[in-house]
Amino acid sequence: MLTHRQLRYFVEIVDAGSFSLAAERLFIAQSALSRQVREMEDALQARLLERGTRHLEMTAAGRSLYTDARAILSALEAAAARVVHAQHGTEGTLRLLHSSSVPLAPPLLAVLRAHARDCPGVSVEVSQASSEHQPLDISEGRADVGLARAPILRRHAGVQYVPLYDEPLVAAVPEGHALAQRAGVGFAELRGECFVATPHLERGGLSHRVAELCRDHGFQPRAAVVRSRKWAQLALVQAGFGIAVVPASMGRLAPPGVRTVSLEGPGCTSNVMALWRDDAPAVAMRFAERLRAAPWAGATDETPAGVPS
């Protein structure tokens, strides 16, 4: 019989990619971790992991156990959370993910306020996750609802992908840049600029959309010396390392020393999507419906959009 601890150890080893790193994360000796795996293999009469000189690989039996272990651990966490909420007389927790390129701008905050007003027994835990990683987290029950940038290249069965709104893209440039005083520029004028977040067609979300626009305008983006795919890219623009193409809502939160310039021409937009499981709990379905009903036409305005009750 396998124990909860053994399943947790096994998942941590696979996620870490090595016994040594997993031991550090779990604050136990590597020898103790290896012993736990041997006991699991003895109990199951099956080899779970193959250790190579440079990496760790799961056997077919290991892959099967890993999938089931993740589901079991997630279900146990959810059960424990329900017990806590029942003890305190609350309805539960909504776990909301959002991409770093979908900031907590006024329209989304208005949705959260309306949800908190109408569902006072529900707490909301907000976390960041990339657009490409959100479907897996939602599919495996680690999150309930996601807000991501299209396109999502690796989709998972049983997850809904619902477009909410299109948002203009802007160029974020240092305030001393030649484009900083322009009201608008064509996307082709960014040819030759250094991008602090290198666009890639192999990635989903904003990175893919910007790479598409570069391709459509006939150039390959140049990578800046210092780069970041996350929110830090605006700090890199501020420091003068290069430019970034970001959604208007993200551009409005840029630090001092960064100017945003409208991108002119067709296609200079990015779509925001809502994600949730087909079998999502009722609290998640209520929130998802509120997202769909919200007046996202005001999503790029400076003032908060109203939210229907």
Side-chain angles (χ1 to χ4, degrees):
M1 178 70 69
L2 302 183
T3 67
H4 172 270
R5 177 181 296 178
Q6 288 174 326
L7 293 178
R8 185 166 63 88
Y9 286 178
F10 181 71
V11 167
E12 188 63 45
I13 293 167
V14 173
D15 288 347
S18 74
F19 277 80
S20 58
L21 183 56
E24 290 179 12
R25 292 179 177 179
L26 293 166
F27 300 102
I28 64 173
Q30 184 175 337
S31 58
L33 200 56
S34 297
R35 185 172 62 253
Q36 290 291 332
V37 172
R38 286 196 301 270
E39 290 179 2
M40 294 171 69
E41 291 177 331
D42 290 343
L44 296 170
Q45 292 295 294
R47 187 79 169 170
L48 300 174
L49 298 169
E50 296 288 355
R51 299 199 207 195
T53 55
R54 294 180 178 272
H55 61 280
L56 193 69
E57 289 188 359
M58 288 183 287
T59 64
R63 288 191 293 272
S64 176
L65 178 62
Y66 177 77
T67 299
D68 290 338
R70 292 296 296 263
I72 291 168
L73 293 173
S74 178
L76 287 173
E77 290 176 3
R82 286 192 292 270
V83 169
V84 171
H85 293 306
Q87 175 70 19
H88 292 87
T90 59
E91 297 178 29
T93 299
L94 172 73
R95 296 163 298 175
L96 174 66
L97 299 179
H98 71 103
S99 164
S100 61
S101 65
V102 184
L104 299 182
L108 178 54
L109 293 174
V111 172
L112 288 168
R113 279 195 298 269
H115 183 78
R117 179 196 67 212
D118 296 341
C119 304
V122 178
S123 62
V124 181
E125 292 181 357
V126 182
S127 304
Q128 277 194 14
S130 71
S131 297
E132 282 295 290
H133 289 162
Q134 288 185 32
L136 178 61
D137 287 336
I138 292 171
S139 175
E140 294 188 348
R142 292 187 295 276
D144 299 309
V145 180
L147 289 166
R149 291 275 170 188
I152 296 175
L153 304 182
R154 290 176 288 276
R155 299 195 173 195
H156 290 257
V159 177
Q160 294 285 327
Y161 304 84
V162 178
L164 293 180
Y165 61 90
D166 286 321
E167 180 178 5
L169 295 173
V170 299
V173 303
E175 61 181 358
H177 194 280
L179 300 177
Q181 303 306 316
R182 299 269 299 275
V185 299
F187 198 93
E189 295 182 70
L190 303 183
R191 181 194 304 268
E193 298 290 344
C194 293
F195 286 69
V196 297
T198 310
H200 283 285
L201 288 171
E202 294 80 9
R203 297 172 182 161
L206 182 63
S207 181
H208 189 283
R209 183 71 193 107
V210 177
E212 283 183 321
L213 287 167
C214 292
R215 180 197 60 193
D216 294 346
H217 287 84
F219 69 92
Q220 289 286 338
R222 292 177 56 192
V225 175
V226 182
R227 300 180 297 276
S228 172
R229 291 176 56 198
K230 302 299 182 181
W231 185 262
Q233 63 184 286
L234 291 175
L236 298 182
V237 173
Q238 181 189 40
F241 287 107
I243 71 163
V245 175
V246 299
S249 58
M250 186 174 172
R252 282 197 300 275
L253 300 176
V258 175
R259 299 290 180 89
T260 57
V261 183
S262 297
L263 290 171
E264 300 172 341
C268 292
T269 60
S270 171
N271 183 260
V272 173
M273 308 179 72
L275 286 61
W276 65 88
R277 289 194 314 281
D278 292 338
D279 61 348
V283 61
M285 294 299 294
R286 287 198 299 270
F287 188 80
E289 288 304 316
R290 190 179 295 277
L291 287 173
R292 297 179 70 175
W296 294 109
T300 58
D301 295 340
E302 291 290 346
T303 55
V307 176
S309 55

